[in-house]
């Protein structure tokens, strides 16, 4: 060991702040922060290029704590280096409305790049950050001026590597040659249940070699070794690097270090006293000496780094004004000034054409129209581009051209979606990802994280119902749409035709406070004629598609492929209106007067029809209404036979309406 005492004392500031905060909260994970403190010391004080005075500086390095249960490590680092996170904030660890919640949460404390905690998704986000940096650099850097040039550093633990998503994303990272991704594996051999050798005996080094990574091994408490490994990692431009750091969890705790006891529980008051003695730390709880703060303070260095970059960008702006303006627009997340007008023109043209095509094809047509307007689009599919129809004529894969705009994710639904979250978090891109609706299940938690972090990610899901036909119940979604609609802050669109599809895309692209899911059909869907007012009302999420003839007696509510069934039934009924609700989340956000105009409260005779699980629609039809849909899994047969077999037909809608009137 070549670690000097004063360097260890600097790192010990992390250890004591972590154990004090967890003890005060009587909740948390002190072991990982204490074990990784020396690694953090090297990375944050010597390598991380950041500015605590401006956490959103565009060319900052990104840091991800994938093992997010060790959140006090990150909070201590932010506090010590000079971010707006006070010692009082650390004392409020895990308390209501604190800037220091139990896991790093985007938007609570400055300097948190992503919400982590669901293990494995942090390293997936880090892969997204690294892809974004490489692609943005290829799109904007010039031979004489480099304006995008930063690294992504990620800490991860045994749990992250046990999660299957780590295989998906680290495999792809190696394939894409993400040389500016550096990951530090906290190899402490301990998880909540104890020593991991009984359930995790992988040869991690060979595993990552197989992915195409550079792999280095160090003593995770040897400052010099960590420094040299990081320099070696940065010298390798074509491969991501995994630095396997052998550490002792809870280092410094005489009775609990190296044991699961310090993984997910406070050390205890008596053990903290002993730990202070072992570390030679004589200060009271939450007290850090001035000389330690001075050693950590990164504000001056960060401001100098940003100023140096600002000077380079000023030269770039003078020489390449168009590119500079475009880069600033994209980093800000703004759409081109003329996008809305151009999109509306395409929607009008689509309405005039009146095509009867599958909504997945309508989606591709929309991408073909919007794609040339939006260079920030970075699409992809989980090996289903030809089925999801996510490729448009201007697409070019980043595996062939780093400045491209399309990612062939392979069969990696979960990894793809979590990477897309990283792309959105990085800035400069609007990612869209695609798979069959059924296989949204593989990606489910990453979809939730899109919504939780309020990221503009567009999730494209095709083959939306039993209408996909012969592939059978394994591929036919039933409960998935209800699951998506039940996700807070996710707008789920199930369009009925080409026009609703185009408007759904426009809505998702314009939305800046959360993700959008597009639920699209495999089979052709008839075009629905609309007035100009109806066309405008689609963006409100729900509208009257067909007005009642005479006195209003009943309402039929439908989405997607079942809108046409509703219209067929409408043709045989009097006193009935058809309401299309392509996006219920947006519809319920409309003012009460509009909602009442569409669904009058006094009309309790209501029928909803959707080839998905029936339970979602009871809140719209009430106990007096009826819902036509699915309560079982599907079968393998042609679509027309399946709709008849499961009773999702025009005749069934007519009979249901008559029954409720």
């Amino acid at each position: 060991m070549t670690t000097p005492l004063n360097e260890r004392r600097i790192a010990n500031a992390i250890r004591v702040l972590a154990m004090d905060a967890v003890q005060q909260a009587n909740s948390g994970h002190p072991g990982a922060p204490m074990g990784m403190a020396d690694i953090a010391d090297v990375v944050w004080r010597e390598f991380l290029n950041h500015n605590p005075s401006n956490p959103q500086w565009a060319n900052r390095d990104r840091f991800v704590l994938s093992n997010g249960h060790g959140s006090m490590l990150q909070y201590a680092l932010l506090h010590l280096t000079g971010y707006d996170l006070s010692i009082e904030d650390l004392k409020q660890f895990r308390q209501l409305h604190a800037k220091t919640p139990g896991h790093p949460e985007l938007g609570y404390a400055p300097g948190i790049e992503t919400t982590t905690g669901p293990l494995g998704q942090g390293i997936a986000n880090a892969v997204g950050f690294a892809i974004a940096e490489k692609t943005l650099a290829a799109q904007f850097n010039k031979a004489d001026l480099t304006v995008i040039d930063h690294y992504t550093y990620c800490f991860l633990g045994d749990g992250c590597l046990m999660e299957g998503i780590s295989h998906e994303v680290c495999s792809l990272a190696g394939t894409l040659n993400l040389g500016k991704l550096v990951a530090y594996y906290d190899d402490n051999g301990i998880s909540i249940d104890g020593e991991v050798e009984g359930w995790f005996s992988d040869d991690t080094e060979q595993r990552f070699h197989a992915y195409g990574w550079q792999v280095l091994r160090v003593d995770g408490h040897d400052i010099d070794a960590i420094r040299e490994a990081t320099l070696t990692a940065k010298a390798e431009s074509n491969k991501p690097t995994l630095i396997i750091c052998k550490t002792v969890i809870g280092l410094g705790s005489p009775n609990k270090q190296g044991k699961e006891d310090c993984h997910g529980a406070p050390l205890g008051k008596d053990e903290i006293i002993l730990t202070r003695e072992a570390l030679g730390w004589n200060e009271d709880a939450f007290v850090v000496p001035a000389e330690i703060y001075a050693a950590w303070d990164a504000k001056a260095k960060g401001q100098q780094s940003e100023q140096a970059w600002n000077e380079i960008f000023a030269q770039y702006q003078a020489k390449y004004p168009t590119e500079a303006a475009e880069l600033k627009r994209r980093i800000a997340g703004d759409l081109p000034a003329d996008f809305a007008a151009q999109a509306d023109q395409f929607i009008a043209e689509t309405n005039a054409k009146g095509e009867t095509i599958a909504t997945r094809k309508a989606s591709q047509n929309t991408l073909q129209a919007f794609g040339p307007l939006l260079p920030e689009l970075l699409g992809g599919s989980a090996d289903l581009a030809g089925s999801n129809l996510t490729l448009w004529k201007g697409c070019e894969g980043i595996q062939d051209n780093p400045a491209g705009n399309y990612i062939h994710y392979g069969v990696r639904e979960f990894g793809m979606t979590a990477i897309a979250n990283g792309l959105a978090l990085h800035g400069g891109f609007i990612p869209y990802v695609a798979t069959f609706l059924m296989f949204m299940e593989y990606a489910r938690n990453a979809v939730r994280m899109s919504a939780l972090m309020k990221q503009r990610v567009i999730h494209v899901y095709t083959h939306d119902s039993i209408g996909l036909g012969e592939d059978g119940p394994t591929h036919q979604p039933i409960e998935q749409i209800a699951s998506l609609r039940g996700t807070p802050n996710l707008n789920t669109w199930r369009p009925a035709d080409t026009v609703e599809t185009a408007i759904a895309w426009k809505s998702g692209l314009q939305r800046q406070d959360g993700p959008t899911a597009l639920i699209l059909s495999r089979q052709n869907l008839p075009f629905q004629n609309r007035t100009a007012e109806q066309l405008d009302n689609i963006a409100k999420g729900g509208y009257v598609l067909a007005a009642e003839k005479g006195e209003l007696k009943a309402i039929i509510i439908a989405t997607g492929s079942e809108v046409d069934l509703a219209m067929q039934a409408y043709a045989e009924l009097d006193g009935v209106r058809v309401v299309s609700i392509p996006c219920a989340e947006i519809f319920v956000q409309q003012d009460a007067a509009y909602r009442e105009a569409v669904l009058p409260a006094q009309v309790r005779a209501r029928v909803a029809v959707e080839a998905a699980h029936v339970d979602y629609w009871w809140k719209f039809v009430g106990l007096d209404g009826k819902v036509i849909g699915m309560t079982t899994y599907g079968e393998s047969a042609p679509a027309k036979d399946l709709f008849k077999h499961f009773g999702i037909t025009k005749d069934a809608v007519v009979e249901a309406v008559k029954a409720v009137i």
Side-chain angles (χ1 to χ4, degrees):
M1 293 278 286
T2 60
T3 304
L5 180 62
N6 65 334
E7 194 73 38
R8 174 56 56 79
R9 181 163 169 77
I10 292 169
N12 283 346
I14 297 172
R15 295 184 170 97
V16 295
L17 286 173
M19 69 181 186
D20 287 344
V22 171
Q23 184 64 39
Q24 176 145 314
N26 196 29
S27 173
H29 300 72
M34 296 174 74
M36 296 194 79
D38 299 310
I39 308 167
D41 175 16
V42 176
V43 174
W44 276 66
R45 291 207 312 117
E46 299 187 35
F47 291 98
L48 192 70
N49 194 20
H50 63 123
N51 183 5
S53 301
N54 181 14
Q56 297 304 311
W57 171 34
N59 199 46
R60 69 192 181 278
D61 289 339
R62 268 57 169 188
F63 173 79
V64 178
L65 184 70
S66 189
N67 45 343
H69 54 271
S71 57
M72 264 311 303
L73 171 64
Q74 191 163 10
Y75 298 146
L77 288 165
L78 293 170
H79 169 70
L80 290 167
T81 55
Y83 285 81
D84 183 17
L85 195 69
S86 69
I87 200 72
E88 293 302 317
D89 291 322
L90 300 193
K91 291 179 181 179
Q92 291 299 308
F93 179 55
R94 288 187 165 226
Q95 305 310 299
L96 184 64
H97 303 314
K99 295 167 88 173
T100 50
H103 291 82
E105 299 280 355
L106 185 71
Y108 284 68
I112 302 293
E113 300 283 3
T114 179
T115 296
T116 55
L119 292 177
Q121 287 196 62
I123 182 62
N125 295 162
V127 172
F129 284 133
I131 292 173
E133 190 279 338
K134 184 175 181 178
T135 304
L136 205 63
Q139 291 177 353
F140 284 96
N141 287 348
K142 304 296 183 181
D144 58 336
L145 286 170
T146 297
V147 289
I148 301 296
D149 180 16
H150 51 266
Y151 283 80
T152 300
Y153 297 99
C154 180
F155 287 4
L156 67 158
D158 293 300
C160 295
L161 293 180
M162 282 188 263
E163 291 285 0
I165 189 175
S166 69
H167 162 69
E168 296 183 27
V169 302
C170 293
S171 168
L172 185 60
T175 300
L176 295 177
N177 303 315
L178 300 180
K180 289 186 176 178
L181 173 61
V182 184
Y184 299 80
Y185 165 32
D186 180 25
D187 182 16
N188 61 40
I190 297 294
S191 65
I192 291 176
D193 281 355
E195 296 180 4
V196 302
E197 60 187 13
W199 48 87
F200 184 51
S201 59
D202 301 13
D203 188 333
T204 299
E205 181 174 355
Q206 290 304 314
R207 170 185 166 186
F208 275 77
H209 275 309
Y211 293 152
W213 287 52
Q214 173 179 236
V215 184
L216 308 170
R217 282 187 177 273
V218 300
D219 178 342
H221 303 299
D222 186 330
I223 297 292
D224 292 340
I226 299 164
R227 179 185 302 113
E228 289 303 313
T230 304
L231 289 169
T232 302
K234 295 188 71 171
E236 172 55 70
S237 60
N238 291 319
K239 293 181 179 181
T241 297
L242 178 71
I243 303 176
I244 300 174
C245 303
K246 192 62 182 175
T247 62
V248 177
I249 191 171
L251 182 71
S253 170
N255 297 302
K256 296 189 176 183
Q257 67 179 22
K259 301 176 182 178
E260 65 270 21
D261 300 31
C262 63
H263 186 292
L267 296 183
K269 293 180 180 179
D270 292 341
E271 186 67 13
I272 284 178
I273 292 172
L274 295 175
T275 303
R276 274 186 153 73
E277 293 176 358
L279 295 176
W281 193 274
N282 299 317
E283 286 74 21
D284 292 336
F286 296 104
V287 175
V288 177
E291 67 271 16
I292 301 295
Y293 274 125
W296 276 105
D297 193 350
K299 294 193 292 295
K301 181 181 175 182
Q303 289 166 359
Q304 290 170 6
S305 295
E306 183 173 357
Q307 181 56 37
W309 181 82
N310 286 339
E311 291 171 4
I312 293 172
F313 190 78
Q315 297 174 44
Y316 184 88
Q317 195 165 20
K319 193 168 184 180
Y320 306 105
T322 302
E323 291 90 336
E326 180 70 358
L327 179 58
K328 289 172 69 176
R329 177 189 71 77
R330 286 175 55 174
I331 289 174
D334 298 328
L335 296 178
D338 62 347
F339 172 74
Q342 297 264 27
D344 288 342
Q345 181 178 342
F346 171 74
I347 290 166
E349 292 169 355
T350 300
N351 188 54
K353 286 182 181 177
E355 293 178 293
T356 292
I357 56 176
T359 48
R360 64 170 175 164
K361 179 60 179 175
S363 171
Q364 185 181 47
N365 291 347
T366 304
L367 277 170
Q368 187 60 56
F370 291 176
L373 307 175
L374 299 171
E376 58 263 52
L377 278 182
L378 185 53
S381 171
D383 201 48
L384 288 169
S387 294
N388 299 145
L389 301 185
T390 47
L391 283 167
W392 50 281
K393 292 177 183 177
C395 283
E396 188 172 8
I398 64 170
Q399 78 280 1
D400 299 318
N401 176 11
N405 60 358
Y406 196 84
I407 302 173
H408 292 276
Y409 283 102
V411 187
R412 299 181 175 98
E413 294 88 356
F414 192 7
M416 168 185 72
T417 307
I419 286 171
N421 290 341
L423 293 170
L425 287 160
H426 180 278
F429 294 100
I430 301 176
Y432 65 92
V433 291
T435 186
F436 290 168
L437 176 57
M438 173 52 63
F439 303 130
M440 174 279 296
E441 295 286 6
Y442 283 131
R444 183 73 186 86
N445 200 261
V447 177
R448 182 178 188 270
M449 297 305 290
S450 294
L452 180 63
M453 294 190 288
K454 303 178 181 178
Q455 293 305 297
R456 179 164 47 182
V457 180
I458 299 176
H459 304 277
V460 178
Y461 300 123
T462 69
H463 297 59
D464 68 339
S465 71
I466 57 171
L468 68 90
E470 293 83 349
D471 276 342
T474 62
H475 281 51
Q476 291 165 5
I478 303 298
E479 70 276 26
Q480 283 66 38
I481 302 177
S483 174
L484 291 169
R485 289 181 178 138
T487 303
N489 199 44
L490 174 67
N491 286 349
T492 300
W493 285 81
R494 187 169 183 247
D497 63 4
T498 55
V499 169
E500 286 191 1
T501 302
I503 291 172
W505 263 107
K506 180 189 174 190
S507 173
L509 291 165
Q510 289 183 319
R511 187 181 186 208
Q512 293 188 320
D513 61 353
T516 298
L518 306 181
I519 313 300
L520 307 172
S521 74
R522 175 180 182 267
Q523 73 273 30
N524 291 342
L525 303 185
F527 175 77
Q528 303 297 333
N529 292 308
R530 299 173 182 84
T531 65
E533 181 181 4
Q534 289 172 321
L535 202 62
D536 289 340
N537 286 339
I538 294 173
K540 297 178 181 178
Y543 63 103
V544 178
L545 176 61
E548 60 275 11
K549 292 166 280 187
E551 179 189 356
L552 177 59
K553 300 176 183 177
I555 300 170
I556 305 172
I557 301 169
T559 77
S561 49
E562 288 66 67
V563 167
D564 187 59
L565 285 181
M567 292 299 290
Q568 292 178 37
Y570 170 82
E572 298 186 9
L573 296 163
D574 291 325
V576 172
R577 73 167 50 165
V578 173
V579 171
S580 174
I581 304 184
C583 185
E585 296 81 14
I586 293 178
F587 175 67
V588 299
Q589 292 172 9
Q590 303 305 307
D591 61 61
Y594 179 77
R595 286 183 279 114
E596 174 67 16
V598 175
L599 296 175
Q602 75 274 16
V603 182
R604 300 181 61 174
R606 301 181 183 187
V607 173
V609 53
E610 184 176 59
H613 201 286
V614 299
D615 278 2
Y616 179 80
W617 290 104
W618 291 110
K619 66 181 181 180
F620 285 98
V621 302
L623 296 179
D624 297 332
K626 288 185 177 295
V627 182
I628 297 172
M630 299 293 294
T631 56
T632 67
Y633 294 115
E635 295 286 350
S636 177
K640 61 181 179 59
D641 296 335
L642 291 172
F643 278 95
K644 183 177 181 181
H645 173 75
F646 288 106
I648 306 175
T649 64
K650 177 262 295 181
D651 290 341
V653 177
V654 170
E655 291 174 10
V657 171
K658 290 179 177 178
V660 297
I661 291 179

